[in-house]
Amino acid sequence: MFTNLSKRHKASTQILIAGGGMSGITAALAAARCGSKVILCHNRPVLGGNASSEIRMHILGACIRGRALETEGRETGILEEIMLECAVRNPQASTSMLDLILYEKCRAEPNLTLMLNTSVTGVIRKEDQIQSVLAVRESTEDEFEIEADLFIDCTGDGRLGYEAGALYTTGREAEDEYKEAGANAERDSYRLGSSLLFTTRDMGRPMPFQATPWAKRFDEEDLKYRPHDAWEYGYWWVEFGGTLDTIKDNERIRDELLAIMLGVWDHIKNSGNHPESENWALDWFGFLPGKRESRRFLGHHMLTQNDIEQAVDFHDTVAYGGWSMDTHPPEGIAAKDRDPCHQPLTPYMYSIPLRSMISRNIRNLMFVGRNLSATHIAFSSTRVMATCSVMGQGAGTFAALALASGKPFEQTWSDPDILIMTQQSLLRQGAYLPGKKLLDRNLAAEADIRASSEQENGKAVQVADGYSRADHGPRGIRPDLAEPGTHRWMSDPSDRAPWLECLWEKPVSISHLTIVLDTGLHRFLTQSHQASFFKHMAWGPQPETLKEFKVMVERNGEWEQAAHIKDNYQRMVDLPVRLEGVNRLRLEVLSTNGLDHARVVELRCLPNRRSQE
């Protein structure tokens, strides 16, 4: 792929993605899995961005809406795949293990070339189209020029788009610009600040702490609006820089945040107000600011507070959100007489349109993550990493399908056929789009569906109703876009050998089975050191998920085994099969990962092409 001409290595690919945070990872994986050749450049040695071991912020999104079976907000698709694996492979909850899992996911894709420690520094552009990016890898003293058909900026700060001359905005819009009730009367240049986290350990003996001379000094009055009675995970409100330029002043912001963070710990250890901290000591603290806000690009749609509050059903929906509209005082911790955040919860989970990810003035540029085309108020909800992750999967899937269409890229994002293909592909991948249903022919929906037992609110027929989650409860999606029901089969707890069965009047031929399982989407599931999050999680295999089961088929009166799945913990089990002349298909449950009854959310039986014709 690479050729060495002079000092600059040249390469070409179909899609170049800059930025290996959560949005860049999911975009790269989705595009590669959809058949595109992808290069992912990331300027750090580890992937994950704010979720990496360098910063250690937990990945959150619409999951905050949950806690009840009928309100399932947690993001599925690639992010769920990653977090389920992390929960099982990482019982120690190490952020470095999450780094490794993200690295392995990228390395495992043959269509994906990963370039770590590689910063995009420039762009070669012809008229309104990017031809290539220039990148530098200081660790090997190499320069690169990488040509691509399509470019996706997932850098957070928007470095690629900025170098290309893409239109962008910063700061906070005035109320009358987009008629947003949450905006200020006048526009200003202020942003959300950055933070440094820390972790601590109880050492079982007194652990003195001596602050550096330049550490800030705080008393209880300074921190009266900032709870600090638990200290195993530090505080997101150790925040600074919102009144500065969070790009150009980043080094100054880092220095100030170190002084603030050490000063807060000095107060906890040495003020006399927290004697119970005597045995606790700092275990780790960051030197890389966790940045919230910098540039936001201008796309073909600017997502606004009104879009979010009304949960607009966009025709080009490719992702969704559900976090609160979470604004902070730009002064950060210096705003000691104000709450550190204002967090009105959005009324519903809301859709995010593809047009907010496509540059208004650069023809082959997309952007995903916190540089989304959104107002400051809307961005305050979309900026969280789980939401950025599902945006990445949506953008990467669309990008691959757009290129495969052979049409000029500027025509693809308004093409109804490509948009529907993208949405349907995302649903097949296990992603969720509010109000959208999979349109594939499902032979299970044409069968007589039976079960060994079923609960009143968990009827067997629901596995083929086209819905993959319960989303009609409090703070779920808009009622007119939802259909009441748990949308899953649940066996009776007294049933010791549960089974689910499809019976067809005439024999059918099946080319693919997809079994979607319950993974407790009403709960948090995220890598975190914060005890208050962990008490709401099932860290490990999710108890609702089937651990071991068999797929049996009956043909000509004879039963045979089509698949035997063991030690499962994933939500989606895909089984390419060649099954001809099937009269019955039965899923026999042998064990769950802890729950006292079996659950199946969806059963998809894809016919072979001849039977579809």
Side-chain angles (χ1 to χ4, degrees), residues 217-515:
R217 298 291 182 260
F218 298 97
D219 57 28
E220 285 295 300
E221 180 66 18
D222 295 325
L223 303 177
K224 62 184 176 182
Y225 290 105
R226 289 158 175 78
H228 51 284
D229 54 354
W231 38 78
E232 76 282 349
Y233 184 55
Y235 311 108
W236 57 265
W237 49 254
V238 170
E239 183 174 357
F240 177 77
T243 61
L244 303 175
D245 184 331
T246 51
I247 296 175
K248 295 299 184 181
D249 294 318
N250 192 56
E251 295 299 296
R252 174 186 169 188
I253 290 169
R254 188 269 325 284
D255 292 346
E256 189 73 10
L257 282 171
L258 276 170
I260 293 168
M261 182 267 294
L262 292 171
V264 169
W265 184 243
D266 180 45
H267 167 76
I268 290 168
K269 289 291 291 184
N270 298 321
S271 68
N273 296 106
H274 305 280
E276 63 276 20
S277 68
E278 183 180 26
N279 291 351
W280 289 76
L282 288 173
D283 179 56
W284 168 90
F285 47 90
F287 275 79
L288 182 64
K291 195 177 295 186
R292 291 181 176 87
E293 183 176 9
S294 48
R295 300 183 181 103
R296 304 189 309 281
F297 289 115
L298 300 183
H300 290 274
H301 180 82
M302 178 71 86
L303 195 70
T304 70
Q305 176 184 354
N306 300 314
D307 292 333
I308 286 176
E309 289 185 333
Q310 296 166 20
V312 174
D313 185 20
F314 295 108
H315 73 279
D316 57 344
T317 294
V318 293
Y320 78 101
W323 187 256
S324 62
M325 288 178 284
D326 183 6
T327 56
H328 301 185
E331 301 87 354
I333 198 170
K336 66 179 184 178
D337 294 320
R338 282 181 280 165
D339 288 326
C341 63
H342 178 60
Q343 296 178 312
L345 197 65
T346 56
Y348 312 107
M349 293 189 286
Y350 57 85
S351 295
I352 300 173
L354 177 68
R355 285 165 296 152
S356 290
M357 305 176 190
I358 296 176
S359 174
R360 190 178 295 180
N361 69 313
I362 303 297
R363 280 195 297 161
N364 59 344
L365 173 65
M366 298 182 68
F367 32 77
V368 183
R370 59 184 178 84
N371 54 23
L372 185 75
S373 178
T375 65
H376 173 80
I377 297 297
F379 149 88
S380 72
S381 174
T382 64
R383 65 185 173 83
V384 291
M385 282 187 283
T387 305
C388 292
S389 298
V390 294
M391 283 195 276
Q393 185 168 357
T397 299
F398 166 76
L401 295 178
L403 291 179
S405 74
K407 297 182 177 181
F409 180 71
E410 61 268 23
Q411 297 177 13
T412 57
W413 53 266
S414 59
D415 187 311
D417 292 334
I418 297 175
L419 291 175
I420 292 173
M421 285 173 56
T422 299
Q423 292 168 343
Q424 292 295 300
S425 178
L426 287 166
L427 294 171
R428 289 186 204 104
Q429 296 169 37
Y432 173 66
L433 302 174
K436 308 299 182 189
K437 293 177 66 173
L438 191 60
L439 302 177
D440 292 343
R441 182 184 175 192
N442 183 3
L443 293 174
E446 303 170 12
D448 179 12
I449 302 177
R450 307 171 177 178
S452 57
S453 66
E454 57 186 16
Q455 297 182 35
E456 182 60 31
N457 63 342
K459 299 293 187 181
V461 294
Q462 294 188 123
V463 300
D465 67 5
Y467 292 91
S468 61
R469 65 172 64 200
D471 53 16
H472 61 278
R475 303 186 301 185
I477 71 168
R478 253 176 44 192
D480 60 313
L481 300 178
E483 184 173 308
T486 60
H487 302 304
R488 72 206 65 203
W489 165 59
M490 297 188 287
S491 70
D492 190 274
S494 64
D495 186 353
R496 307 324 302 166
W499 52 263
L500 176 73
E501 182 179 274
C502 291
L503 173 64
W504 290 276
E505 286 187 10
K506 296 180 179 180
V508 298
S509 297
I510 303 171
S511 66
H512 198 101
L513 285 174
T514 299
I515 302 163

Side-chain angles (χ1 to χ4, degrees), residues 551-571:
V551 177
M552 306 293 294
V553 294
E554 186 263 312
R555 297 189 278 198
N556 300 318
E558 298 289 331
W559 284 97
E560 61 185 86
Q561 180 175 295
H564 185 182
I565 307 299
K566 299 179 180 179
D567 298 320
N568 175 64
Y569 53 82
Q570 284 291 350
R571 176 175 173 81

Side-chain angles (χ1 to χ4, degrees), residues 80-144:
E80 175 80 342
E81 171 192 330
I82 289 168
M83 293 316 304
L84 289 170
E85 184 165 338
C86 185
V88 170
R89 289 181 54 193
N90 189 17
Q92 68 273 36
S94 163
T95 49
S96 293
M97 183 57 73
L98 177 58
D99 293 343
L100 177 62
I101 289 170
L102 298 175
Y103 175 77
E104 288 178 344
K105 288 288 182 186
C106 292
R107 285 288 302 271
E109 293 299 327
N111 285 333
L112 174 55
T113 299
L114 178 62
M115 298 177 66
L116 294 175
N117 292 310
T118 305
S119 301
V120 169
T121 57
V123 162
I124 297 176
R125 200 182 92 180
K126 184 176 182 181
E127 297 178 346
D128 60 352
Q129 187 159 322
I130 303 171
Q131 293 185 313
S132 58
V133 299
L134 305 178
V136 173
R137 188 169 62 205
E138 292 290 353
S139 61
T140 58
E141 300 178 357
D142 283 315
E143 298 177 2
F144 302 93

